[in-house]
Amino acid sequence: MSGDASALLAQIAHIGVDPERGGYTRPVFSAPELELRAWFIAQADHRGLDVEIDGNGVIWAWWDAPDARRVDAIATGSHLDSVPGGGNLDGPLGIASALAAVDVLRERGIRPVRPLVVAAFPEEEGSRFGIACLGTRLLAGLVDPQRVRELRDENGVTFAEAARGAGLDPVLIGLDAARLAAISAFVELHVEQGRGLEDLGQPVALAGAIIAHGRWHVRIDGRGDHAGATRMADRQDPVVVAAETVRALRAHALVVDDARGTIGRIKVTPGGTNVIAASVDLWMDVRHRDEPAVRRIVEEVTAATERSAAAEGCTVKVTEQSFSPTVAFDDGLRERMHAVLPDAPVLDTGAGHDAGVLAGVIPTGMLFVRNPTGASHTPAEAARPEDVAVGVIALADVLETLITR
């Protein structure tokens, strides 16, 4: 149905279903994510949008103005990849709503004075190569392309290899200043990752800020040995040190008001039940509105880990994989959005977004759609069809005022 984002989401509900974790697993350049990219291109073609894929793997679907000049453009969109075992809304809701908003605008008879482009950004979640919002970071020149080409996933596949497998040339990744200069503003719609709107009884909100957040890789090396033949006093067990890392992160995050500290991924090598581990890799996610607070928590956890490692005879290396400072979205753009949506509350978010990365180089804003469960990065995330429909109209209203003036 034209303008129905829920119907569009239903079309992709079978793609990337994870029978083990539940929900969806759609890492960048995997078979499910490539299928979603093909679906998006087909939907754009169906609407007569002109599709191009840039050197960073971003898909751009253009609704050109009469003069066909792609300058002073308004962009919207989101991402198609997911975390392991995620839901069907985080990312795809923004894509489906953008396509549905194009339908609504055309049904209204809108003719854009400036071009509108719907974008699908790759590797927003960072679930395969460890850097969140990687596509937009490359686009904005915020990450070294050579470093990115050499990134490896858990199976040892490099980003360059995965990109080639997706039909892209990894030599072309990096800053695209000309494309950024052609975009006047970017508006991203996203399912809310929390219960703010549910508690307020509102279907849609404007974004205020994204709190500072980063990811750190902790590598602990010990000495592998036999679980039965090695006395407790003779062990150099990295799992013992890893346990202190987990404890320390929780303890230090709890004493900082509204901080968030998470270790959601641990890899033990070699991973045998009757084997003392040789090494442990952990990935920390730390967030707070105050950037120094984030840095301080990481420093304290690192110090606690190093003390435990010294006592256990292990070594530790902590590497920052990515960091995003607190982002305040463009005041002027938010004022224009608020003029269109005067009843929409303004909410901050603890989740990172492509709009947050792009905020440093172009004016950006966000819309959130109510999530009655408040859950995110899990199959429990949700949005009522009627709220999705309200979100589409809200996005269409905002885009209309931006592309016709």
Side-chain angles (χ1 to χ4, degrees):
M1 181 184 299
S2 178
D4 188 342
S6 293
L8 289 170
L9 289 169
Q11 293 178 10
I12 61 173
H14 65 287
I15 300 174
V17 173
D18 191 323
E20 180 180 350
R21 300 180 180 94
Y24 298 87
T25 298
R26 299 160 166 170
V28 71
F29 302 148
S30 65
E33 200 256 2
L34 291 177
E35 188 174 353
L36 290 174
R37 288 166 67 88
W39 168 84
F40 172 60
I41 291 171
Q43 288 296 322
D45 287 341
H46 175 68
R47 288 163 173 78
L49 305 180
D50 186 48
V51 175
E52 61 172 330
I53 303 175
D54 70 14
N56 292 311
V58 183
I59 307 173
W60 305 89
W62 291 89
W63 181 11
D64 288 315
D67 63 8
R69 296 176 64 241
R70 290 177 180 172
V71 297
D72 197 23
I74 302 301
T76 187
S78 193
H79 62 97
L80 293 165
D81 63 302
S82 79
V83 297
N88 192 34
L89 299 175
D90 184 348
L93 177 63
I95 298 289
S97 296
L99 293 170
V102 169
D103 294 341
V104 170
L105 292 171
R106 284 181 165 162
E107 289 168 357
R108 292 176 180 176
I110 298 300
R111 294 185 179 276
V113 172
R114 60 183 65 176
L116 173 66
V117 61
V118 181
F121 299 107
E123 185 69 328
E124 192 270 357
E125 298 291 3
S127 62
R128 183 169 184 181
F129 293 104
I131 299 180
C133 302
L134 182 55
T136 43
R137 289 180 191 275
L138 285 167
L139 174 66
L142 300 178
V143 63
D144 176 46
Q146 186 55 36
R147 176 195 172 198
V148 173
R149 283 188 280 267
E150 295 172 356
L151 292 173
R152 293 182 181 273
D153 67 13
E154 63 181 10
N155 296 315
V157 178
T158 66
F159 178 90
E161 292 167 339
R164 288 192 193 98
L168 303 171
D169 184 352
V171 173
L172 301 178
I173 65 173
L175 172 65
D176 194 340
R179 188 173 297 275
L180 290 171
I183 299 173
S184 294
F186 173 67
V187 178
E188 180 174 5
L189 180 145
H190 204 280
V191 66
E192 188 192 3
Q193 294 165 291
R195 287 182 51 89
L197 283 167
E198 182 71 6
D199 293 341
L200 291 171
Q202 295 284 342
V204 173
L206 304 177
I210 299 176
I211 68 174
H213 59 283
R215 297 182 183 187
W216 287 262
H217 173 220
V218 181
R219 170 73 180 217
I220 307 167
D221 286 300
R223 179 171 58 86
D225 218 325
H226 194 290
T230 309
R231 298 184 308 170
M232 298 300 290
D234 295 335
R235 300 185 180 202
Q236 296 169 255
D237 189 345
V239 173
V240 173
V241 182
E244 173 59 18
T245 307
V246 175
R247 185 211 64 79
L249 178 58
R250 183 168 182 82
H252 288 292
L254 278 171
V255 297
V256 179
D257 185 49
D258 209 29
R260 297 93 189 267
T262 306
I263 293 176
R265 181 181 171 201
I266 301 175
K267 178 182 178 183
V268 178
T269 303
T273 302
N274 59 347
V275 179
I276 300 168
S279 64
V280 176
D281 294 274
L282 305 90
W283 286 264
M284 291 194 302
D285 181 300
V286 184
R287 308 181 186 221
H288 192 271
R289 189 179 182 93
D290 180 38
E291 178 179 341
V294 174
R295 299 288 187 187
R296 186 167 59 252
I297 290 169
V298 173
E299 290 170 0
E300 290 167 341
V301 173
T302 298
T305 303
E306 289 173 343
R307 289 193 296 270
S308 178
E312 189 67 19
C314 296
T315 60
V316 174
K317 182 179 180 181
V318 179
T319 304
E320 181 180 299
Q321 290 190 311
S322 64
F323 186 83
S324 298
T326 295
V327 173
F329 289 105
D330 186 80
D331 288 336
L333 178 57
R334 185 167 57 247
E335 287 174 4
R336 294 187 68 181
M337 295 170 67
H338 195 262
V340 177
L341 306 171
D343 297 327
V346 177
L347 297 177
D348 292 344
T349 177
H353 300 281
D354 288 312
V357 172
L358 293 177
V361 289
I362 57 175
T364 64
M366 291 191 71
L367 293 170
F368 296 130
V369 172
R370 176 164 48 191
N371 177 350
T373 69
S376 181
H377 286 183
T378 163
E381 74 181 13
R384 302 179 183 97
E386 56 269 30
D387 288 344
V388 172
V390 172
V392 169
I393 296 302
L395 179 60
D397 290 345
V398 168
L399 295 176
E400 179 177 345
T401 194
L402 294 175
I403 67 174
T404 57
R405 299 178 187 176

